Amino acid sequence: KEFRAGGATMCATNKKRARDADAGPSSEPFSKQPAGAAQKPLPKSATILQRVVHALRARGEASSAPAIVKAVAEGGYTDGAKVRKAIKAGVTAGALQTSAESAAKFWVGGEPIPEAAAGPAVATEELSPGDAGGSPVAKGDAVAIDYTLSLLATGEKVEAGKKFCFTVGGGDVIKGMDAGVV
């Protein structure tokens, strides 16, 4: 007999193992291990959510969905849409939590969120002031910026862009970009 679970066809003898793997925090890959510690390899039968938890613990910090997708892909699972879906389901089920720093960063449910590293040193130069009637930019705000990224030590221009849109603190840009607009 065969059945479908999570988009994969499995033989009936694997049904109990798959059900147990979907059980959540009580299954083996969810065993408590310190953030950033060497992780046990995941079995091939690991669920996507188990892969997400494994990736978060390996990273050692609350992470954005794109960062989690990348970390899970480095572990061999490359279906980003299913990883994002597992993140959302994990938050709903309590297996994952969002950080107080940003609702767009996730960590393992029921565990203390590791301290965020100190922000990067960023030199900014305001070329044109913003709207005087507007409010200051804060985490969670969507912004559009023109930017030039240069090395502070040499002044070498690395990258430039116009009308670049992102959410401040959402984890979709380098930390210096967030720090430069707040």
Side-chain angles (χ1 to χ4, degrees), residues 31 61 80 126 150 168:
S31 62
E61 64 182 0
E126 186 174 352
S150 303
V168 178

Side-chain angles (χ1 to χ4, degrees), residues 10 25 27 29 35 48 59 62 66 75 101 104-105 111 134 151 153-154:
M10 303 170 72
S27 54
I48 301 167
R59 289 179 56 81
E101 172 189 321
K105 290 196 175 188
E111 293 184 13
L151 299 178
T154 64

Side-chain angles (χ1 to χ4, degrees), residues 80-98:
K82 287 185 179 178
V83 172
R84 284 182 184 87
K85 187 175 180 181
I87 293 168
K88 185 175 181 180
V91 170
T92 301
L96 299 176
Q97 61 184 318
T98 56

